[in-house]
Amino acid sequence: MNEAMIFDALRTPRGRGRSDGSLHEVNPVDLLAGLMQELQRRNNLDTAQIEDALIGCVMPYGEQSGCIAKTAALRAGWDWRVPGVQLDRYCGSGLEAVNIAAQKVRSGWEDLLVAGGVESMSRIAMGGAPGPRDTKPEMVFQLKPVPTGVAADLLATLDGHSREDVDRYALESQRRAAHARGNGYFAKSLVPVKDANGLTILAEDELIRAGGTLEKMGQLKPAFQAMGEMGGFDALAQMRYPQIEKIRHVHTGGNSSGIVDGASLMLIGSEAKGRALGLKPRARIVSVGVIGSEPTLMLAGPAPATRLALKKAGLRIEDMDLIEVNEAFSSVVLRFMSEMQVDPAKVNVNGGAIAMGHPLGATGCMLVGTLLDELERRDLRRGLVTLCVAGGMGIATIIERI
């Protein structure tokens, strides 16, 4: 069986996902196409050699519709023979693209692929096209779906995490991210976004807020309390978890992932193809895991997905030198660290989505690149990336440096 090698990984900065955000002016096709051009330039790549482009995108409508993977490849000036596909596994889409690319290479059916994701959350509003489980009364009664923020508060309530617990975790994420940015830890993979005239629009992650305090964090109002109490979602959640007398709404805009724009890409292929093209492998993709989790709680998938990936690889959690758990909400990471009994010093060492934002379809691939850069910087061997996924799923990937 072929090994699936990572030859390169890059990403845009994350721009604030509002109309006043720096990347709002950039069409999502151009956001992705700019990265494609940089990937080609960095690797002196004959794009006719790329056998597929797999791109995660959670909201594939409007400017992100029409198979954005293929559109962006054409926009980037890549060889027209490169096909493309858009993937949607909610928040796990970018990592799913990486995992499928690895599976294609390991099968021997394809030898060089590009995987990644894109999300322009300032231009394509989250939740702008609700699905049937959110709108059909009979499905709502059967499935008891709640918004992810209410699910995060439910998770914190079940685990006994207080407002101070989730705020303290978020504050540390900001501190670590500010330290990493200030010391250039993201520079290896970060590609500034430029306009048509070559002028830089955004060069660094825009959302990081250095200098916060626990007192300031505590002044923020719960973001999902009105939605849960007045919208009836607390009642739905308590139908599934009747042991809870009241859901404690502890999550705010300060301890939840930020809404941002961004894109990410990774070049993945076989050893033989890399040798033929003069590409130096940086890591191999060891194993992957994807699972379903209870759909009302929804956000508890990282630990079981991790266990599956570890089992496939014949490894233990202690074998992971660094771990990236997507910071959808503080309670998600706190649950993972408790359930897996991992040292917090190994987890999200350069901050995460609470500090920098979560561009839904792009985040998973971004995290693999961030992990790989940090493994190289610290001269460590193995790492894990895992994300919770809306609707009740979890996804995980293990990589090992070459």
Side-chain angles (χ1 to χ4, degrees):
M1 185 177 293
N2 293 330
E3 294 286 0
M5 299 298 184
I6 299 173
F7 296 115
D8 202 4
L10 44 80
R11 69 173 178 92
T12 68
R14 299 168 175 95
R16 192 180 303 275
R18 303 189 314 209
S19 59
D20 62 350
S22 295
L23 297 182
H24 176 67
E25 66 180 273
V26 184
N27 183 290
V29 171
D30 289 334
L31 198 62
L32 187 56
L35 272 191
M36 288 178 164
Q37 290 173 333
E38 180 63 12
L39 185 72
Q40 178 182 4
R41 186 195 67 78
R42 283 193 188 194
N43 296 281
N44 191 28
L45 194 59
D46 174 9
T47 58
Q49 300 293 318
I50 299 171
E51 294 173 88
D52 208 352
L54 290 72
I55 300 298
C57 182
V58 177
M59 295 174 284
Y61 51 90
E63 293 177 308
Q64 293 181 159
S65 63
C67 190
I68 193 169
K70 178 61 177 175
T71 305
L74 292 172
R75 177 72 165 160
W78 281 13
D79 192 288
W80 55 264
R81 286 168 287 190
V82 180
V85 62
Q86 175 267 323
L87 304 171
D88 180 12
R89 196 188 285 281
Y90 293 128
C91 302
S93 299
L95 190 56
E96 180 69 6
V98 171
N99 291 354
I100 291 177
Q103 291 159 8
K104 282 171 170 272
V105 171
R106 285 176 68 93
S107 74
W109 284 14
E110 293 176 11
D111 292 304
L112 190 67
L113 302 104
V114 167
V118 64
E119 209 77 48
S120 180
M121 301 181 76
S122 69
R123 296 169 74 105
I124 311 296
M126 184 166 58
R133 72 190 181 104
D134 302 310
T135 56
K136 298 290 185 183
E138 67 275 18
M139 291 190 188
V140 171
F141 183 77
Q142 177 194 356
L143 304 177
K144 298 176 180 57
V146 300
T148 54
V150 175
D153 287 336
L154 172 62
L155 187 65
T157 302
L158 288 168
D159 290 350
H161 289 131
S162 67
R163 171 66 184 271
E164 183 176 336
D165 292 335
V166 293
D167 280 352
R168 195 176 294 280
Y169 177 82
L171 197 62
E172 179 63 8
S173 177
Q174 291 283 358
R175 188 196 68 77
R176 291 181 177 186
H179 177 79
R181 181 178 64 180
N183 286 277
Y185 296 169
F186 301 135
K188 186 171 186 177
S189 296
L190 200 59
V191 178
V193 178
K194 299 183 178 182
D195 65 14
N197 298 314
L199 300 175
T200 298
I201 298 172
L202 185 64
E204 293 185 321
D205 297 305
E206 190 171 31
L207 211 63
I208 299 172
R209 299 179 294 275
T213 66
L214 201 59
E215 182 181 6
K216 289 180 181 178
M217 293 280 286
Q219 294 171 0
L220 298 174
K221 294 182 179 180
F224 310 105
Q225 184 168 357
M227 184 186 299
E229 294 178 353
M230 300 175 65
F233 294 110
D234 281 7
L236 276 178
Q238 287 173 284
M239 289 173 67
R240 185 77 76 180
Y241 294 92
Q243 69 270 34
I244 295 175
E245 293 184 8
K246 181 179 176 62
I247 293 175
R248 296 197 305 273
H249 291 283
V250 297
H251 286 92
T252 69
N255 54 43
S256 307
S257 56
I259 294 173
V260 290
D261 304 334
S264 57
L265 284 180
M266 191 162 285
L267 185 62
I268 298 170
S270 66
E271 289 182 276
K273 192 68 169 182
R275 285 194 298 270
L277 297 178
L279 300 170
K280 182 179 179 181
R282 297 172 61 190
R284 70 184 184 97
I285 297 172
V286 177
S287 70
V288 307
V290 61
I291 56 92
S293 62
E294 196 283 301
T296 299
L297 184 58
M298 179 189 322
L299 305 175
T306 293
R307 291 192 193 100
L308 179 58
L310 289 169
K311 181 180 179 181
K312 289 179 179 179
L315 296 169
R316 304 168 303 153
I317 193 67
E318 292 81 8
D319 297 320
M320 300 298 105
D321 296 308
L322 294 175
I323 299 170
E324 289 286 331
V325 184
N326 186 38
E327 294 176 351
F329 302 92
S330 287
S331 60
V332 173
V333 189
L334 293 174
R335 161 67 75 95
F336 176 86
M337 291 191 295
S338 174
E339 194 171 348
M340 297 301 298
Q341 291 293 292
V342 295
D343 182 354
K346 286 185 174 184
V347 179
N348 299 349
V349 295
N350 290 329
I354 289 172
M356 293 177 282
H358 175 22
L360 304 176
T363 303
C365 181
M366 281 186 174
L367 293 181
V368 180
T370 298
L371 174 65
L372 178 53
D373 286 348
E374 192 63 14
L375 286 172
E376 290 175 340
R377 193 183 74 80
R378 298 187 181 207
D379 194 22
L380 297 174
R381 184 180 180 188
R382 294 193 189 99
L384 164 80
V385 172
T386 184
L387 299 90
C388 60
V389 180
M393 291 181 279
I395 189 169
T397 303
I398 295 170
I399 67 170
E400 182 178 66
R401 279 183 58 212
I402 300 299

